[in-house]
Amino acid sequence: MGAPAGIQTNRRNVTGYLPIENYGLIGNMRTCALVGIDGSIDFMCWPDFDSPSVFCRLLDKDKGGYFSICPPAEKAFTTKQQYLPSSNILQTRYIHEEGVVDLVDFFPRPRSTHVVTKATKATKQSSFREAIAVQDELKKWLVRRVECIRGQVDLDVEIFPAFDYARGAHKTDIVLPEHPPGCPDSKTVTFSSEDIKLQLDVTIDHGEADYESCPTVTFRKEKKPGMLGEGVVCHIHLQEGQAISFVLRDDIPNHITRDVTTEVVDRQQHDTQSYWFNWISRSKYKGRWREVVSRSLLILKLLTYEPTGAIIAAPTFSIPEEIGGGRNWDYRFCWVRDSSFTIYILLRMGFTEEADAYMDFISERFRKSRSPEGALPIMFTIRGETEIPEIELDHLSGYRGSAPVRIGNGAAFHLQFDIYGELLDGIYLYNKYGKPVTWEQWVAVREILDYVLTIWKDPDMSIWEVRSRKQNYTYSKIMLWVAFDRGLRLAEKRCLPCPNRANWLATRDEIYEDIMTRGYSHNLRCFIQSYESGDLLDSSILIAPLVFFISPNDPRFLRTMDRILMSPDQGGLTSTGLVYRYNTEHSEDGVGGREGAFSMCTFWLTEALTRAGVYDSKYLVRAVNIFENMLSFSNHLGMFSEEISRSGEQLGNTPQAFSHLALISAAFNLDRATDFKR
């Protein structure tokens, strides 16, 4: 993973699409963009994660819209792509015999300055003066800077926005047809749709050369078939030391920074580099997979919506789980299910501010968003709303023809009872490693568990959000056991009043017996997918020792793990060291089609093997092998999507938070186990 990737860019010419893993992520904790290894931004929603897309060529090569900066098609060149050290600033380098050019992409992050707070009645009694950190203005800009570092290069710039998921028409105006040397104005092009107006600012740095040899930028309008508005294109020639910056931002009357200059761009890049370096320096992880874990943490930070503290499951929508299939979902939302894993990782890695913000977001939800009966929605928007209607965008063809393209998520209305276990585990972990749980939070916990007493025997739709009949899924039952277990532990640890303690305790024990009786197959001699599934395996059972439901060396669990490790042909779920959720050919999930191996489940297997390895070293050896093998399936930037296809390509929305959370947890626990063994 340490070496930047290099590929020839003709991969797009075959299908019109880049492979899913050939993208890097940049963002500012409001929105993000996917930058292809060929220098094209093929996905960006504006101004927030869940806003309509402005560039979406990833989901329709003809209509979706893009922003490309790359050498002309007839030029043979090699591409390298990597993040600048300890940052989320992406560098794409084009190399050929005549010259080398760097394309640097980022969304700015502001500096923080300390401001002395105004004296209050409480502080006036002391001579001490308090100061708080205050952020400078957040520039909601997309910055693309090209700089020639050897010889001379030619580049083509193409900007074709497609507003409102390519449904909205727009008007394009070239405000500044040419950039003469020393021109103070930067506003060059405007794109105006009904809801959003964007402007493109251009600034030219002639380097050490004189003004006469200054590069020029001359845009012309162009219309593409199928697109609802014009784009702009230009050809630029750069010599060593010269640079041009392109900044896309909202077109508003009174910008704080009216014109973008080279000095402004340099300052924004410096502040952004400093921000990311200082942030990742807080990581407590010092283990043997430090580079991989740091990149995962940086990606998780990019998936955070800063105004509320919510963390989205993935920044994309409708990237397929099977090429040509219908498993295409919108992941730009915050799932309750992620809560315990997120809180655990943020706190153990030392990111208490992020854990506090996330807990505040989740706490507000579980206290105020429950139904009159007491049920908790499974997911929320980044602002905490629960209305997430699912819509199909029929006019988009989908990634490599994988239709339908969906926005919103119908699973928002599903019954998924495992969420109560993940939520209570998150609250318990926060109380243990973060801040003590408040009285209001505890009252809400009591109300939730009293509600769960009434529904725990009912079937649900499971962690995998099946769209067929409800069943008594073993994973859901395990997490319902976790809910009561963590509630009881919390009450005991904090001596909190617990009027229904006897019922909680009796139900926790009843659920355990129920799982051991009905969630276990005496025929297979292992745990199964659901009480009704017969002898069907499900890799979600790997969570059992991770949440302390069962000891990792219990024969029942070891046999389950050994069976999951078998290939699908032999009745298992593991192929090439990668773990599938379940066998889609034998399990009717109401969706149909096939899917790839699940990144998260493979990391869960690593962690389950690790915990078993504490008692039998052979499992520890397997854990390291499975983990290292899985790391080889990341992309060139250390990013993981949701799934890995049978051909080894990444599938599904990318990057996926759950994949990276599970990676960090597996690495953390592997380090602890191997240190223990040494």
Side-chain angles (χ1 to χ4, degrees):
M1 196 206 86
I7 67 160
Q8 297 293 325
T9 58
N10 58 8
R11 292 294 300 275
R12 190 188 289 273
N13 299 341
V14 181
T15 63
Y17 295 90
L18 283 182
I20 292 164
E21 63 264 29
N22 279 10
Y23 288 94
L25 184 74
I26 56 172
N28 62 353
M29 280 97 83
R30 299 297 192 283
T31 189
C32 65
L34 289 179
V35 185
I37 200 162
D38 64 350
S40 178
I41 290 181
D42 291 344
F43 184 90
M44 184 180 78
C45 297
W46 190 275
D48 297 322
F49 290 117
D50 58 355
S51 302
S53 61
V54 173
F55 302 125
C56 199
R57 178 155 68 164
L58 187 62
L59 295 171
D60 192 310
K61 62 183 174 64
D62 300 315
K63 299 177 189 169
Y66 64 96
F67 183 168
S68 173
I69 302 176
C70 67
E74 66 273 9
K75 285 276 188 183
F77 58 92
T78 301
T79 310
K80 303 278 186 181
Q81 194 176 60
Q82 64 182 356
Y83 285 105
L84 297 185
S86 301
S87 81
N88 279 317
I89 299 175
L90 192 64
Q91 174 188 281
T92 308
R93 177 169 286 179
Y94 303 115
I95 307 166
H96 52 90
E97 290 185 4
E98 296 168 16
V100 178
V101 67
D102 281 347
L103 166 62
V104 173
D105 288 305
F106 66 97
F107 285 91
R109 285 295 307 174
R111 287 181 302 174
S112 288
T113 49
H114 281 83
V115 177
V116 176
T117 56
K118 197 173 180 181
T120 64
K121 287 181 181 178
T123 58
K124 273 181 181 174
Q125 299 173 30
S126 165
S127 304
F128 183 75
R129 290 292 172 264
E130 295 177 2
I132 56 170
V134 176
Q135 276 188 358
D136 289 358
E137 181 214 5
L138 173 69
K139 303 284 190 189
K140 294 182 181 179
W141 298 357
L142 167 66
V143 181
R144 313 202 73 191
R145 179 177 174 82
V146 285
E147 182 174 7
C148 183
I149 58 173
R150 173 173 69 77
Q152 53 186 347
V153 290
D154 291 298
L155 294 170
D156 287 332
V157 181
E158 299 184 1
I159 309 171
F160 285 87
F163 292 91
D164 190 23
Y165 302 111
R167 295 179 299 190
H170 71 268
K171 184 170 176 285
T172 301
D173 289 307
I174 298 177
V175 181
L176 200 63
E178 291 188 5
H179 267 271
C183 175
D185 296 328
S186 66
K187 185 174 179 179
T188 305
V189 183
T190 62
F191 304 99
S192 306
S193 73
E194 187 178 346
D195 298 317
I196 293 179
K197 293 178 171 57
L198 296 178
Q199 72 180 59
L200 179 75
D201 291 84
V202 178
T203 179
I204 297 171
D205 184 355
H206 58 81
E208 295 177 3
D210 57 26
Y211 272 122
E212 302 308 315
S213 63
C214 194
T216 59
V217 176
T218 307
F219 278 111
R220 60 182 171 82
K221 291 196 270 190
E222 194 173 287
K223 185 81 161 59
K224 283 190 180 288
M227 299 197 75
L228 301 179
E230 293 175 310
V232 293
V233 298
C234 77
H235 180 83
I236 55 178
H237 178 81
L238 292 176
Q239 296 179 2
E240 188 172 324
Q242 295 178 343
I244 301 177
S245 299
F246 301 90
V247 176
L248 196 64
R249 57 178 175 165
D250 285 320
D251 182 9
I252 56 176
N254 300 307
H255 284 291
I256 292 174
T257 306
R258 179 185 177 273
D259 290 298
V260 178
T261 63
T262 299
E263 291 73 28
V264 167
V265 174
D266 285 345
R267 167 56 62 187
Q268 291 297 324
Q269 183 174 337
H270 173 267
D271 290 349
T272 304
Q273 284 172 193
S274 299
Y275 172 85
W276 289 117
F277 176 82
N278 292 333
W279 185 83
I280 197 60
S281 297
R282 289 162 40 202
S283 171
K284 287 182 178 176
Y285 181 81
K286 303 290 186 267
R288 57 206 268 212
W289 291 284
R290 190 169 176 181
E291 186 181 354
V292 177
V293 168
S294 292
R295 179 49 52 197
S296 291
L297 287 166
L298 284 161
I299 288 169
L300 283 172
K301 183 66 170 171
L302 282 181
L303 302 185
T304 304
Y305 183 64
E306 193 175 41
T308 64
I311 297 178
I312 54 173
T316 55
F317 60 91
S318 265
I319 302 182
E321 296 173 25
E322 178 194 13
I323 302 301
R327 294 171 176 266
N328 317 315
W329 317 110
D330 190 346
Y331 277 14
R332 299 171 297 163
F333 307 107
C334 182
W335 267 256
V336 174
R337 179 172 297 117
D338 299 4
S339 58
S340 65
F341 304 97
T342 304
I343 289 166
Y344 174 72
I345 292 305
L346 289 174
L347 289 173
R348 296 314 297 264
M349 295 296 109
F351 296 101
T352 51
E353 286 177 25
E354 287 74 12
D356 289 346
Y358 183 76
M359 189 63 190
D360 287 345
F361 175 80
I362 289 292
S363 182
E364 188 80 2
R365 307 284 77 74
F366 74 71
R367 286 193 291 118
K368 297 182 179 177
S369 299
R370 302 199 305 277
S371 71
E373 299 77 31
L376 187 69
I378 69 160
M379 60 197 282
F380 303 93
T381 69
I382 52 178
R383 295 164 206 85
E385 302 135 351
T386 54
E387 284 297 312
I388 310 176
E390 188 171 286
I391 301 166
E392 293 186 2
L393 302 178
D394 298 332
H395 64 290
L396 296 178
S397 61
Y399 177 79
R400 288 170 57 185
S402 303
V405 172
R406 296 184 180 94
I407 55 172
N409 201 310
F413 309 105
H414 279 191
L415 290 177
Q416 296 173 23
F417 295 154
D418 61 289
I419 63 168
Y420 298 104
E422 284 116 0
L423 174 66
L424 266 293
D425 195 36
I427 296 168
Y428 174 79
L429 290 167
Y430 186 72
N431 182 80
K432 184 176 181 179
Y433 297 114
K435 293 177 181 176
V437 165
T438 66
W439 171 249
E440 280 76 15
Q441 288 170 333
W442 174 243
V443 170
V445 164
R446 291 195 316 199
E447 292 169 356
I448 288 169
L449 285 177
D450 287 346
Y451 167 73
V452 175
L453 283 172
T454 68
I455 53 104
W456 77 265
K457 291 183 180 178
D458 297 341
D460 75 334
M461 300 168 97
S462 95
I463 179 178
W464 305 135
E465 302 185 343
V466 299
R467 300 198 173 196
S468 57
R469 66 190 175 100
K470 297 173 193 167
Q471 297 180 53
N472 287 283
Y473 286 94
T474 308
Y475 176 88
S476 296
K477 301 301 183 190
I478 289 172
M479 296 313 291
L480 286 166
W481 175 90
V482 168
F484 287 110
D485 179 72
R486 300 309 191 263
L488 288 162
R489 287 194 197 203
L490 200 52
E492 191 174 327
K493 187 176 277 285
R494 293 280 307 280
C495 300
L496 293 164
C498 191
N500 232 348
R501 186 193 309 266
N503 281 337
W504 293 3
L505 192 56
T507 304
R508 183 186 70 172
D509 292 349
E510 192 179 345
I511 294 173
Y512 203 106
E513 296 271 6
D514 196 48
I515 294 167
M516 287 303 189
T517 306
R518 301 171 65 197
Y520 180 81
S521 166
H522 289 282
N523 182 35
L524 291 182
R525 300 179 72 225
C526 70
F527 290 103
I528 50 176
Q529 184 179 62
S530 74
Y531 296 174
E532 299 87 354
S533 68
D535 291 343
L536 282 179
L537 275 182
D538 193 307
S539 61
S540 62
I541 304 298
L542 292 166
I543 201 74
L546 279 56
V547 295
F548 306 108
F549 172 79
I550 195 169
S551 62
N553 65 328
D554 188 294
R556 283 189 168 204
F557 181 74
L558 291 177
R559 286 195 297 268
T560 304
M561 195 162 58
D562 288 339
R563 182 164 283 275
I564 287 172
L565 275 162
M566 294 164 67
S567 71
D569 296 340
Q570 298 171 313
L573 293 174
T574 306
S575 176
T576 328
L578 305 174
V579 182
Y580 290 81
R581 298 192 294 181
Y582 48 84
N583 191 323
T584 51
E585 292 178 13
H586 299 153
S587 182
E588 177 50 54
D589 59 13
V591 181
R594 299 194 309 175
E595 62 178 20
F598 228 67
S599 304
M600 175 183 72
C601 294
T602 309
F603 290 124
W604 279 2
L605 175 61
T606 299
E607 193 165 338
L609 286 165
T610 301
R611 292 174 188 254
V614 172
Y615 306 100
D616 186 341
S617 58
K618 73 178 181 186
Y619 290 110
L620 207 51
V621 175
R622 289 183 195 173
V624 174
N625 286 336
I626 292 277
F627 187 66
E628 291 283 4
N629 177 68
M630 183 58 187
L631 293 183
S632 73
F633 285 92
S634 79
N635 80 346
H636 57 289
L637 299 168
M639 259 169 54
F640 280 97
S641 66
E642 186 175 32
E643 301 178 17
I644 310 291
S645 72
R646 284 167 169 77
S647 65
E649 288 188 310
Q650 293 194 4
L651 290 172
N653 288 305
T654 187
Q656 199 202 27
F658 229 145
S659 300
H660 288 279
L661 287 166
L663 181 158
I664 297 165
S665 185
F668 177 69
N669 284 287
L670 255 180
D671 275 319
R672 287 203 302 185
T674 47
D675 287 345
F676 172 76
K677 281 294 176 187
R678 283 201 291 269

